[in-house]
Structures are given as structure tokens and as C-alpha cells.
Amino acid sequence: MPKTIAVNAGSSTLKFKLFDMPSENVVAEGIVDRVGFDMGSFTLKYGNGQKYSVEQKFATHQEGIDLLLQKLTELKIINDFSEITGVGHRIVAGGEYFTDSVLIDDDVLDKIESLIEYAPLHQPAHIMGIKAFKKALPNATAVAVFDTSFHAGMPEENYLYSIPYEYYEKYGARRYGAHGTSHRYVAQRAADLLGKPLEELKLITLHLGAGASITAVDHGKSIDTSMGFTPLAGITMATRSGDIDPSLVDFLREKLNVSSADMIDILNKKSGLLGISGISADMRELESSNDHRAELAINIFNNRVIKYVGSYIAEMGGVDGLVFTAGIGENSAETRATVSNAFNYMGIKIDDNKNNVRGKETIVSTDDSSAAVMLIPTNEELMIARDVERFK
Ligand code: AMP
């Protein structure tokens, strides 16, 4: 059966998932970790719980991909490289060029390269991944799937900041959003679950993981999203601050006597749930702690989520469904209940029995709730593989 591989190349990692298509069965998945370090590792899961792993140095992504392909044949997961007829690459920044996934050619690669300054850690890795797979599988259909493209059609009033307009024109200073593949996937699944066309629904998708973002999906289109120029904006996250007053950045930089880069690092890696609680970036640990600051971190997180949901309900003039996904959204019944209960006043009602569930596609609101509350496990890799199929 023809196969498609979904690839997510990060600065020092390469994650992959191999699907039989069109059946969408996962035949293998894994990760090349610590690329460029003195010692790296490779893990491949396949078959019925079988696993192959090895520790070795990977100087480049290419070396990781070469070992991956070698093992796929050696372990008889595939008979021949020609079985992999599609490669889908997750790309963080698509700028204003890409409003949908595209077949990769030289022009597309040039444009992805031109966007390096919008995602300096990710974009170079994506380019390496694209080139390495092109070399290994020259005949496979290669498709770029952008985190930003689902949001690229947002109305001007939602993607523009209230700053001099020429900064948008000259430097592309605007909201791009992120997690687009996840929001697109869960919105479509939510429509399927409700048995209604996506184009008839007003949905709010809540991707609540270590990175977290919320999107207003109005009649199938992202019309607003909480992440901004970069994924640092929006709601409180595991270690990211989310929205803050920009004046605070310089004020704190001077007080702390740190560089701009270090200040941004603090906002990315030492803030959010971790920064507030001083205990953990992990919602599980905070939920099981009695510490006041753990409770405070959860309250601030919920409060920011509720504010965004409320504002998106106002923007869309109503809502048909709230869709919870990613680590917190899929596992924390408490978060789903607290956020949904904030909208009791407008008839949204959680069913506590139905909500006592994890990681399973299901409706957790009562039958008479004014909007459905859903839990939909995200599956970005599958969305990527499906996008590749469109171009085969
Ligand atoms: P993700 O980035 O989607 O993998 O989500 C990771 C986050 O999900 C973790 O940092 C936890 O905060 C959260 N998470 C995972 N499992 C649970 C759980 N059982 N209860 C609450 N939060 C969870």
C-alpha cells in the first residue's frame, strides 16, 4: 500500500509518523533526538508495540533521515523506498505567502527560506528536512503544511496591530497565529461529530497544551486567534507569558540588567504556569498541589482562556461549539468544566459524568446545552498526511 510520511523537523529533533494511505493506519512513528549534539538518539515504534532504539551521534538531520529509511526497510516496515509516495512537512512560518498547503518546488523553498527571521529556530530545520527527504526520496510528492496558513485569511482588523501601518507594509509586523493545523483538524472533526457542515458552524477551538492557543472558527474559517506575531502571545502557557503590556519588557530588562534576547527568553521559558507557581509548568502537578501559587497559576490560566472565549463569542455573535484539545484540553476535566461553566449564563452546560473522560473524541455537554462542548484529540500528523493526498 502507498505510504505517506508526516515530518516535523525542529532545531535539534526530527519527529515522523508513517501512514498507510488512504487507510490512514499508522505503520511507524518515532523521533531522531539531539541532532547536532555529541550524542543523539533514534526511536522507532512500529507493528504491534515493537520498538527499535539506538543512541548515536547525528551530526545533521540528513544522517537521521538516512538511518530512519534504512531501518524502515531493514525491519521490513516497508519493502522498498518507492512505497513512500508522499512526504508532508510541518512548517512553522508561512507568512502571507501561503494560505493553504502547497506542493514544494524551488519557488516555495525560496519563500520558506525568506521567512527565516519569522521563526529563526524552526525554519532552518524545516529547510534541512525538506532537502534531506528530497535527496532520499526524489520521486515522492513533497508538500509543505504551514502552522499559519489556516489563519492567513483572517480579516485585516484582526491581524493588524494598532501600530503605524507602514510597519505592517514594510516589515510584515502583524498577527500570524500558530497551531493552525491542529485548529483546522479539530474544527473539522467537531463538525463531523455534530453531524453538521463546518461551513454552518461557529466554533471556538481551544488547543491547550504546553503551547496554547484559541481560535474563532467562523463558518469554517479562522477569523481570529490568540497567538500573535509569534507564539508568545495570547493566553498563559506552560512557560510562556502570553499577552503582557509591551512597556513591561523594557522596564524589566533594565531592572534585571539583561539583554533583549534574555528578556524574551524569560518570557518564553520562565513565565506562564511555571513562573506564577514557582512549582511546575505541568498542569497535572499544579492540579494535585495545595500550594496557593499553584492554585493561582491555574486561576490565571483559566481566566485568560475564559476572556478569549468570551471575546470570540462576541466577535462571532454566538457559538455552536467549544472544542478542547491538546494535553490539558484532552486530559483535564477540571479545565473543561471551569471554562465552560463561565458561560452557564448563556446556557452552556457541562455534563459532569460525560466530562469524566480522557483523550477520547466525545461531546461532554448536556443535551440541552446552548452550545456543544467537545473533547477532540488533535492529530496534526494525520492532517498533514491528508493534505499530501490532495496533491498526489
Ligand atoms: P502537549 O503540549 O499537548 O503535549 O500538552 C502537554 C501538557 O498537557 C502538559 O504540560 C500538562 O500540563 C498537560 N497534561 C497532560 N496530561 C494531563 C492531565 N492528566 N491533567 C492535566 N494536564 C495534563
Side-chain angles (χ1 to χ4, degrees):
M1 213 185 277
K3 293 177 177 59
T4 287
I5 189 160
V7 179
N8 182 357
S11 51
S12 63
T13 58
L14 186 125
K15 293 185 202 143
F16 55 89
K17 209 166 198 177
L18 184 67
F19 294 87
D20 253 335
M21 296 303 277
S23 78
E24 300 186 344
N25 288 329
V26 177
V27 287
E29 64 185 299
I31 181 168
V32 183
D33 211 357
R34 299 193 299 281
V35 176
F37 285 62
D38 286 344
M39 185 52 84
S41 67
F42 169 72
T43 310
L44 177 65
K45 292 183 193 160
Y46 63 103
N48 300 320
Q50 284 135 291
K51 186 172 154 183
Y52 171 86
S53 65
V54 65
E55 301 252 319
Q56 69 175 69
K57 181 180 159 102
F58 295 101
T60 61
H61 286 74
Q62 181 80 55
E63 287 181 16
I65 292 166
D66 289 344
L67 180 68
L68 157 66
L69 291 170
Q70 183 196 326
K71 288 296 159 195
L72 287 177
T73 44
E74 241 176 62
L75 298 167
K76 306 222 179 313
I77 298 164
I78 57 172
N79 297 317
D80 194 288
F81 292 167
S82 65
E83 259 179 63
I84 304 178
T85 54
V87 186
H89 295 273
R90 178 228 178 180
I91 312 288
V92 165
E96 292 197 317
Y97 293 124
F98 303 106
T99 54
D100 196 359
S101 303
V102 287
L103 212 48
I104 300 172
D105 59 16
D106 289 344
D107 177 52
V108 168
L109 200 54
D110 284 348
K111 287 190 170 120
I112 293 173
E113 264 184 300
S114 77
L115 295 166
I116 285 180
E117 64 180 341
Y118 293 88
L121 293 180
H122 291 92
Q123 217 75 345
H126 300 331
I127 294 160
M128 275 189 272
I130 290 172
K131 289 184 175 164
F133 269 98
K134 180 79 194 155
K135 202 166 157 207
L137 304 171
N139 299 319
T141 303
V143 172
V145 180
F146 301 91
D147 278 13
T148 49
S149 66
F150 186 49
H151 308 301
M154 282 189 290
E156 277 179 313
E157 57 266 35
N158 285 342
Y159 71 67
L160 284 178
Y161 290 114
S162 308
I163 56 175
Y165 188 80
E166 61 264 30
Y167 301 161
Y168 160 62
E169 293 179 299
K170 281 192 195 152
Y171 312 120
R174 53 161 281 180
R175 178 190 306 281
Y176 292 100
H179 290 147
T181 311
S182 174
H183 289 290
R184 186 159 58 100
Y185 175 80
V186 298
Q188 182 57 61
R189 289 301 309 154
D192 295 346
L193 199 60
L194 296 174
K196 295 203 176 132
L198 183 57
E199 296 70 28
E200 289 178 11
L201 293 168
K202 294 173 184 178
L203 299 174
I204 296 173
T205 50
L206 297 96
H207 180 111
L208 308 179
S213 68
I214 304 183
T215 296
V217 185
D218 197 1
H219 297 86
K221 294 195 163 71
S222 161
I223 61 136
D224 208 350
T225 193
S226 61
M227 282 179 167
F229 178 68
T230 71
L232 182 51
I235 60 174
T236 303
M237 301 178 224
T239 62
R240 284 176 238 168
S241 63
D243 298 337
I244 59 165
D245 181 340
S247 309
L248 204 50
V249 178
D250 227 32
F251 174 84
L252 285 176
R253 202 181 57 72
E254 279 187 25
K255 294 278 178 214
L256 299 168
N257 194 20
V258 295
S259 67
S260 298
D262 286 344
M263 193 61 227
I264 293 293
D265 206 55
I266 291 170
L267 296 174
N268 265 307
K269 299 192 183 140
K270 297 187 178 151
S271 302
L273 297 176
L274 175 66
I276 303 162
S277 69
I279 293 174
S280 171
D282 193 315
M283 188 57 94
R284 272 167 296 200
E285 281 187 50
L286 300 181
E287 282 180 354
S288 59
S289 165
N290 293 321
D291 190 277
H292 167 67
R293 273 169 52 191
E295 196 183 327
L296 181 64
I298 295 174
N299 290 345
I300 291 177
F301 175 84
N302 288 335
N303 165 278
R304 304 306 188 263
V305 173
I306 289 164
K307 282 189 198 183
Y308 267 97
V309 171
S311 70
Y312 291 166
I313 293 173
E315 269 196 274
M316 293 195 290
V319 65
D320 299 305
L322 303 182
V323 189
F324 287 86
T325 195
I328 300 171
E330 291 169 28
N331 292 296
S332 171
E334 252 174 87
T335 302
R336 290 192 299 269
T338 308
V339 172
S340 305
N341 286 336
F343 300 93
N344 280 159
Y345 76 90
M346 52 169 283
I348 296 183
K349 286 188 224 156
I350 279 273
D351 180 321
D352 287 330
N353 283 332
K354 289 187 194 164
N355 191 36
N356 189 10
V357 64
R358 260 197 198 147
K360 186 175 135 222
E361 216 170 81
T362 183
I363 297 176
V364 298
S365 47
T366 59
D367 292 343
D368 65 344
S369 176
S370 63
V373 181
M374 288 161 273
L375 187 177
I376 309 231
T378 193
N379 198 337
E380 291 163 271
E381 297 87 359
L382 178 57
M383 194 80 245
I384 291 172
R386 284 183 185 166
D387 278 5
V388 174
E389 290 309 284
R390 287 199 268 137
F391 293 92
K392 273 191 187 168

